[in-house]
């Protein structure tokens, strides 16, 4: 799996998927209004926001989370892990890919909590107090690693030194 994510073709595919999926989110906040539950960092605030939504808004948010926000973490985390892994040394490759993969798992767990709440199944929104900050933290670390390692790869390429495969 590591080798597949670090291939240039896969990175390009994941970049395109990330952009397309990000663009597909547009109608959800247009109908639901900001903020979406994804950007609320604690359970009590998420619960209050959920109470403000109409049945239709909840349904739109639910399907946006189920479709768009299930695909999005898979795309962005694959992209960030792939870029970081491609430009890291073999010794560190797995480690630099880990934050992106952790962000994906955390994002999907957060989505499950939100889907359960939006559908009226069960209220586990207090978990957002841990999941949401961790998700954004891991995604931030993954972004820094991917950009930093990409930059180092460009410098190596321009200086004539070998770039990791």
């Amino acid at each position: 799996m590591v080798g597949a994510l670090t291939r240039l073709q896969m990175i390009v595919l994941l970049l395109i998927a990330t952009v397309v999926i990000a663009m597909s989110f547009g109608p959800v906040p247009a109908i639901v209004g900001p903020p979406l539950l994804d950007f609320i960092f604690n359970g009590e605030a998420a619960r209050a926001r959920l109470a403000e939504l109409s049945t239709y808004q909840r349904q739109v948010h639910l399907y946006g989370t189920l479709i768009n926000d299930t695909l999005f973490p898979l795309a962005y985390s694959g992209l960030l892990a792939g870029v970081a892994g491609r430009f890291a040394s073999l010794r560190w490759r797995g480690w630099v890919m880990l934050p992106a993969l952790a962000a994906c798992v955390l994002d999907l767990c957060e989505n499950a909590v939100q889907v359960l709440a939006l559908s009226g199944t069960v209220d586990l929104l207090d978990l957002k107090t841990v999941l949401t900050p961790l998700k954004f933290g891991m995604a931030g670390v993954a972004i820094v690693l991917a950009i930093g390692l990409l930059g180092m790869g460009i410098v190596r390429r321009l200086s004539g030194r070998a770039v990791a495969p």
Side-chain angles (χ1 to χ4, degrees), residues 26-146:
V28 177
I31 294 169
V32 174
L36 295 177
L37 292 177
D38 306 82
F39 298 101
I40 298 176
F41 283 70
N42 71 64
E44 204 52 46
R47 206 170 282 109
R49 176 66 177 129
L50 190 60
E52 298 170 359
L53 301 179
S54 70
T55 302
Y56 177 67
Q57 289 173 316
R58 283 182 189 210
Q59 185 177 22
V60 169
H61 199 320
L62 172 70
Y63 286 115
T65 301
L66 277 172
I67 298 166
N68 302 61
D69 206 18
T70 296
L71 296 173
F72 191 60
L74 297 171
Y76 82 74
S77 66
L79 172 65
L80 294 172
V83 169
R86 182 173 179 87
F87 294 101
S89 69
L90 287 175
R91 178 178 179 209
W92 294 102
R93 182 169 284 169
W95 290 106
V96 300
M97 295 173 79
L98 196 56
L101 301 176
C104 181
V105 170
L106 290 162
D107 203 338
L108 293 173
C109 289
E110 177 197 43
N111 291 344
V113 166
Q114 291 173 182
V115 164
L116 290 169
L118 287 162
S119 66
T121 304
V122 65
D123 180 348
L124 300 173
L125 289 170
D126 288 329
L127 292 173
K128 285 186 62 59
T129 305
V130 174
L131 292 173
T132 304
L134 278 175
K135 169 190 80 170
F136 281 110
M138 286 293 110
V141 169
I143 290 167
V144 169
L145 283 168

Side-chain angles (χ1 to χ4, degrees), residues 3-51:
L5 283 176
T6 60
R7 287 196 163 120
L8 181 59
Q9 298 89 338
M10 181 61 79
I11 291 171
V12 170
L13 178 67
L14 288 167
L15 174 61
I16 293 167
T18 299
V19 170
V20 169
I21 297 165
M23 291 170 47
S24 76
F25 276 98
V28 177
I31 294 169
V32 174
L36 295 177
L37 292 177
D38 306 82
F39 298 101
I40 298 176
F41 283 70
N42 71 64
E44 204 52 46
R47 206 170 282 109
R49 176 66 177 129
L50 190 60

